[in-house]
């Protein structure tokens, strides 16, 4: 199917960090629903957010576009 876009604010924070993997592996929107994660945070957190993005890429989750 067509990927849905999911916006996560405060994406470099502890709460979002614990949710991102569950969202990306299909626990939230279903195991068949591809998605695009849009990660938003304040400018000073960009280096942390880059690390989060690299971790998600390393997981090679099949639903993540």
């Amino acid at each position: 199917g067509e990927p849905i876009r999911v916006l996560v604010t405060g994406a470099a924070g502890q709460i979002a960090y614990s949710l991102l993997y569950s969202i990306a592996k299909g626990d939230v929107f279903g195991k068949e629903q591809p998605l695009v994660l849009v990660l938003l945070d304040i400018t000073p957190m960009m280096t942390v957010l880059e690390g989060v993005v690299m971790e998600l890429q390393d997981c090679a989750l099949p639903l993540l576009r």
Side-chain angles (χ1 to χ4, degrees):
E2 190 69 24
I4 59 171
R5 296 174 62 83
V6 179
L7 172 67
V8 178
T9 61
Q14 299 262 339
I15 294 170
Y17 184 81
S18 65
L19 291 175
L20 286 172
Y21 182 72
S22 292
I23 294 170
K25 72 176 187 170
D27 290 345
V28 177
F29 298 104
K31 304 286 185 193
E32 303 293 321
Q33 178 61 59
L35 51 94
V36 173
L37 285 177
V38 179
L39 307 179
L40 180 67
D41 215 312
I42 59 175
T43 303
M45 297 301 289
M46 286 301 114
T47 55
V48 174
L49 191 55
E50 289 170 5
V52 171
V53 170
M54 287 191 303
E55 287 185 33
L56 286 168
Q57 290 171 336
D58 286 346
C59 290
L61 298 159
L63 297 177
L64 203 52
R65 300 290 184 264

